[in-house]
Amino acid sequence: MNSKQPPFRGLLFKIKQSRMSAIARSKVKDLLEMKAGENVLAKGWVRTKRGNKEIAFIALNDGSTIKNIQIVVNKNENTEPILARISTGACIAVEGRLVESVGSGQNVEIQAEKVTVYGECDPMRYPLQKKDTSFEYLRSVAHMRPRTNTFGAVLRLRSQMAYAIHNYFHNKGFTYLNTPLITASDCEGAGQMFQVTTLNLNNVPKNKKGEPDFSKDFFGKQTSLTVSGQLEGELGATALGEIYTFGPTFRAENSNTPRHLAEFWMIEPEMAFYDINDNMNLAEDFIKHLVKYALENCWDDVKFLNDRYDNELIDRLRSVTETDFVRLEYTEGIKILEEAINKGVQFEYPVYWGVDLQSEHERYLVEKHFRKPVILTGYPKEIKAFYMKQDEGGKTVRAMDVLFPKIGEIIGGSERESDLGKLEARIDELGMSRKNLEWYIDTRRFGSCPHSGFGLGFERLLLFITGMQNIRDVIPFPRTPKNAEY
Ligand code: 4AD
Ligand code: MG
């Protein structure tokens, strides 16, 4: 360093030492932006260690960025015993000088002066040391996979997107409403709910009919984990005007697909005085905003995923922000699919008016026919939930599904039935219990208003933004049939 050593070298060294120990820890993300010359302290986990007889190079990552900082350690009798304890996965602290870097691919690196080992990592037993880095394997060690580059990128993106969502709605003046996770009503009417009970399953109290007596249960009635916060969301919207929920939802459907989780997160805005067109406009603007946010604020992670797994990812993200989504009636959609079949396209599931579209049909419309996102509306009322506004003629409802390339349905929503008589008739028609829904029906009894809303599946959004293929790889600890580890 200095060619001329200053006098009182010993003293200066001590001062330097005491200054060094007072250095605050910097995150790797910040270190990589700093100018060479400063004394710094970094803490993190070792990604790799390599080197030669004189020098060791350690790539250190602390989760603040996809990038590592390179640590350079001169080998001597003092450092060798410490270096011997350091291997991939170990946790260390490094004090040293930030210097310009020649070969690490970054502008700066740390010339180490003091290295502390917080936790060693046995290379023989460390689960991420294995050659097998397939997503299947990583799912089997999901408690460790956040330490990989890929899951670091995905989890940072997940967090950034959550922030962007709150930001979007707050800027629009929406109120964030917390809806209950334990509920006595089935919003979607599909009955795929997880029961919540404190009854002793080995000795369930029975009523006169021999059925479980839920009056003895914790809540005095049968309860489940919610499949959606929408019904309570409507209570909020018809008082506060515009609300959104953002929380976990639960579905006990036995679907082992790359797009279904038993526990997933949903964002559900609900807006008074919005009709179906306002609803579609909001959904389109919302998704475009989120995709743009990822491109503008999470570039390193998006770029990493693009370069590593899917080099069309960035193009796909950009094209969604730039294009107008197609708006298509269900009936028109069926015609397009039928024409495709006539031209020789083969689907596994049948196509006819009235059918609930499968993901293969949705993806045909989006990926082959229009080559852009499609908002499908005007669905047959038989395949949609009881609360959707009925069109004149009574055959279709003002539902809207937003269909995305690679994903299929990313958003489901509708204008809501605001007419008391029609809503009650539909509940009865479907054989649902009005008794459990009186509180909901009250919104139509007292100051009913036109209103609309939708639900965005957070993990489906993340599938699109990360380009990951399997929904289990965009949530830290996935819950799927026969899988509830950690
Ligand atoms: O279409 P869904 O069932 O709509 C509702 O729950 C309405 N209550 C929403 C509303 O209008 N407020 O679900 C909404 C979205 C789907 O489009 C999909 O993105 C996601 O939630 N989703 C799932 N994501 C992961 N795993 C599952 N099992 C999912 N089921 C639905
Ligand atoms: Mg749906």
Side-chain angles (χ1 to χ4, degrees):
M1 277 190 291
N2 293 5
S3 54
K4 261 196 205 160
Q5 293 291 351
F8 313 118
R9 206 165 25 147
L11 185 63
L12 268 186
F13 181 71
K14 278 208 185 103
I15 292 169
K16 194 169 135 197
Q17 284 291 87
S18 67
R19 267 207 210 125
M20 295 271 308
S21 50
I23 296 172
R25 174 208 164 200
S26 299
K27 294 196 183 184
V28 170
K29 185 174 196 286
D30 300 326
L31 288 169
L32 293 172
E33 303 288 316
M34 281 161 64
K35 288 226 167 66
E38 289 196 48
N39 289 323
V40 295
L41 169 61
K43 300 182 179 185
W45 292 268
V46 174
R47 283 286 203 262
T48 55
K49 186 183 85 172
R50 59 190 180 83
N52 53 38
K53 272 194 185 149
E54 283 100 46
I55 309 177
F57 298 105
I58 295 169
L60 194 69
N61 189 282
D62 66 0
S64 60
T65 160
I66 187 84
K67 292 174 182 157
N68 305 323
I69 189 149
Q70 174 155 286
I71 314 292
V72 183
V73 189
N74 293 332
K75 289 189 179 171
N76 55 44
E77 66 269 27
N78 293 331
T79 58
E80 293 273 15
I82 296 169
L83 283 169
R85 295 171 59 206
I86 295 175
S87 56
T88 297
C91 185
I92 63 172
V94 181
E95 285 181 35
R97 184 176 282 277
L98 202 63
V99 296
E100 268 172 36
S101 172
V102 202
S104 74
Q106 314 291 349
N107 293 334
V108 288
E109 60 192 24
I110 300 177
Q111 179 64 51
E113 287 168 24
K114 184 178 169 196
V115 179
T116 309
V117 179
Y118 285 138
E120 293 175 30
C121 184
D122 181 352
M124 302 304 286
R125 295 178 55 216
Y126 186 43
L128 300 182
Q129 192 81 320
K130 295 221 176 104
K131 289 227 173 64
D132 185 359
T133 53
S134 68
F135 287 117
E136 284 81 6
Y137 170 71
L138 291 176
R139 264 170 238 145
S140 75
V141 290
H143 60 303
M144 284 279 131
R145 68 180 184 171
R147 299 234 198 135
T148 62
N149 287 332
T150 300
F151 284 89
V154 168
L155 296 179
R156 271 187 302 274
L157 273 164
R158 188 179 166 106
S159 167
Q160 290 285 336
M161 285 298 105
Y163 174 75
I165 286 162
H166 284 295
N167 209 29
Y168 178 84
F169 286 120
H170 278 255
N171 286 337
K172 282 196 171 309
F174 282 53
T175 300
Y176 176 40
L177 186 79
N178 297 125
T179 49
L181 300 192
I182 299 174
T183 177
S185 63
D186 178 357
C187 168
E188 295 304 302
Q192 295 156 329
M193 304 181 82
F194 289 101
Q195 284 201 36
V196 174
T197 181
T198 53
L199 292 179
N200 178 356
L201 294 184
N202 291 316
N203 186 15
V204 177
K206 301 275 170 67
N207 62 18
K208 283 191 196 125
K209 287 191 201 154
E211 295 159 343
D213 183 358
F214 289 106
S215 71
K216 304 246 161 51
D217 206 346
F218 188 91
F219 295 104
K221 55 168 76 160
Q222 191 173 5
T223 52
S224 311
L225 294 177
T226 189
V227 295
S228 157
Q230 178 197 324
L231 301 191
E232 294 87 353
E234 286 186 52
L235 303 180
T238 54
L240 296 157
E242 293 162 331
I243 64 95
Y244 72 102
T245 74
F246 186 178
T249 50
F250 308 87
R251 297 199 184 174
E253 45 191 342
N254 197 6
S255 357
N256 261 306
T257 81
R259 281 179 305 280
H260 287 88
L261 289 165
E263 177 180 295
F264 65 98
W265 287 61
M266 192 158 36
I267 300 98
E268 295 185 273
E270 189 73 33
M271 298 77 62
F273 317 121
Y274 275 50
D275 67 12
I276 188 71
N277 288 312
D278 302 325
N279 205 22
M280 286 193 274
N281 291 344
L282 181 73
E284 182 169 342
D285 184 65
F286 178 44
I287 297 211
K288 283 179 171 168
H289 173 86
L290 297 179
V291 174
K292 240 184 251 160
Y293 188 94
L295 285 168
E296 282 167 13
N297 297 280
C298 316
W299 179 254
D300 288 348
D301 288 324
V302 171
K303 181 86 170 65
F304 168 82
L305 294 168
N306 180 85
D307 295 353
R308 175 98 179 241
Y309 298 109
D310 177 357
N311 53 28
E312 289 170 6
L313 174 64
I314 290 173
D315 288 345
R316 227 169 26 248
L317 296 180
R318 286 215 174 104
S319 84
V320 159
T321 66
E322 286 158 7
T323 187
D324 288 339
F325 296 5
V326 175
R327 301 194 179 185
L328 185 74
E329 291 283 327
Y330 169 92
T331 303
E332 294 303 312
I334 292 290
K335 275 190 204 147
I336 292 170
L337 292 169
E338 282 172 342
E339 276 161 26
I341 291 171
N342 290 340
K343 281 189 206 141
V345 175
Q346 297 199 345
F347 295 115
E348 197 183 330
Y349 293 91
V351 173
Y352 54 89
W353 198 95
V355 79
D356 200 0
L357 294 183
Q358 300 293 323
S359 156
E360 56 173 346
H361 306 134
E362 296 172 342
R363 291 183 61 175
Y364 178 84
L365 291 173
V366 172
E367 289 166 25
K368 298 270 161 40
H369 190 82
F370 290 106
R371 295 175 180 273
K372 51 169 135 172
V374 174
I375 311 184
L376 210 55
T377 52
Y379 280 83
K381 91 173 169 197
E382 263 63 44
I383 57 172
K384 290 292 181 186
F386 72 95
Y387 49 71
M388 296 190 181
K389 184 173 177 69
Q390 296 172 33
D391 286 312
E392 273 145 45
K395 267 178 80 183
T396 55
V397 286
R398 283 186 204 164
M400 58 170 225
D401 278 7
V402 181
L403 312 178
F404 253 50
K406 298 258 183 191
I407 315 285
E409 181 190 334
I410 195 165
I411 281 181
S414 73
E415 185 170 340
R416 316 306 187 190
E417 183 54 77
S418 56
D419 182 278
L420 174 64
K422 281 190 185 163
L423 182 70
E424 286 181 328
R426 187 67 186 139
I427 293 172
D428 294 347
E429 207 172 19
L430 290 168
M432 295 172 69
S433 153
R434 248 205 256 174
K435 200 169 130 256
N436 278 343
L437 285 169
E438 286 304 329
W439 55 271
Y440 175 74
I441 301 171
D442 267 356
T443 53
R444 278 61 165 180
R445 285 195 186 105
F446 308 115
S448 184
C449 72
H451 63 289
S452 299
F454 62 81
L456 168 69
F458 189 41
E459 287 76 17
R460 300 250 176 114
L461 169 80
L462 290 169
L463 278 178
F464 184 71
I465 284 181
T466 61
M468 289 282 117
Q469 304 283 324
N470 194 311
I471 200 161
R472 294 157 204 228
D473 299 330
V474 295
I475 187 165
F477 308 106
R479 266 82 184 99
T480 50
K482 303 275 178 291
N483 175 30
E485 290 292 318
Y486 324 110

